[in-house]
Amino acid sequence: MQHVTVPQDRIGVVIGAGGETMREIEERANVRLDVDSESGSVAIEERNDPVAAMIAPDVIKAIGRGFKPETALSILDHDLRTLDLIDLSEHTRNDNDLQRQKGRIIGENGRTRELLEELSGANVVVYGTTVGAVGQPEELEVVRRAVGMLLDGAPHGAVYSYLERMSNELDDDVSFNAPQ
């Protein structure tokens, strides 16, 4: 049995309306969930599929870190699609610095975060002290590098150029492998 702790304000999202999200996770990951809404602890018990049960904690963590349930559940649909979390508190000195860095990553009206998603192909969420990304390994690497550039103080224009260049490379890789 595995345990994941979910922030209090995200427990309702894990459970869903009338328990709908929780039932869908249980069904698709072939696990049984025991949610303690007081503490935010979610116990995950494997039923028949050990591989899906290994992925289930990432689905719960993704919802806990701010992803929509549909995005979190997409981790179960694709073999290589995973969750990657970047802990911003490791890269900031204090709360003011954390807020400033989150602002740089989100951008004005959320535009930088949107471009991160659009050009990397990954889903990206900034929540609490983390930046979460759900995607394929090469998409997650692009997000991690772009966020690193922003944390290191790179100008947004340089980060956007990097994202556009990597987006073109990812597109080229896809079209290169496409059947003719």
Side-chain angles (χ1 to χ4, degrees):
M1 184 176 300
Q2 299 182 60
H3 292 272
V4 175
T5 302
V6 176
Q8 204 63 44
D9 63 325
R10 298 293 296 172
I11 286 289
V13 182
V14 170
I15 296 169
E20 184 180 326
T21 303
M22 190 170 100
R23 277 194 301 278
E24 186 173 356
I25 294 168
E26 288 177 330
E27 186 179 302
R28 290 183 54 192
N30 207 4
V31 295
R32 195 177 94 54
L33 301 179
D34 184 18
V35 179
D36 181 346
S37 49
E38 293 293 313
S39 68
S41 176
V42 179
I44 304 160
E45 184 181 332
E46 173 193 332
R47 289 207 298 226
N48 298 332
D49 184 353
V51 175
M54 285 174 36
I55 299 169
D58 280 348
V59 173
I60 304 293
K61 282 182 203 165
I63 294 171
R65 297 316 316 154
F67 285 98
K68 294 178 184 173
E70 307 82 59
T71 302
L73 283 161
S74 74
I75 296 170
L76 292 167
D77 297 335
H78 307 284
D79 287 345
L80 295 176
R81 196 164 166 86
T82 57
L83 168 69
D84 188 18
L85 294 174
I86 301 167
D87 187 354
L88 297 177
S89 64
E90 293 176 0
H91 303 278
T92 56
R93 296 179 300 278
N94 53 40
D95 279 349
N96 286 343
D97 193 28
L98 174 67
Q99 293 308 315
R100 187 180 64 76
Q101 293 289 24
K102 281 174 61 174
R104 283 181 52 78
I105 294 164
I106 295 168
E108 190 172 338
N109 297 320
R111 188 66 185 134
T112 301
R113 189 201 59 79
E114 285 174 10
L115 281 171
L116 267 170
E117 280 192 333
E118 197 176 297
L119 295 172
S120 72
N123 296 92
V124 179
V125 169
V126 180
Y127 179 87
T129 61
T130 61
V131 175
V134 171
Q136 303 289 336
E138 59 277 359
E139 297 168 345
L140 298 179
E141 185 55 40
V142 169
V143 170
R144 189 168 272 284
R145 176 98 193 272
V147 168
M149 291 171 72
L150 289 166
L151 291 172
D152 288 343
H156 280 81
V159 176
Y160 299 158
S161 295
Y162 164 75
L163 286 168
E164 286 175 3
R165 190 171 65 253
M166 295 312 292
S167 175
N168 290 335
E169 284 182 26
L170 290 174
D171 288 347
D172 288 347
D173 287 348
V174 170
S175 62
F176 180 77
N177 294 325
Q180 300 296 326

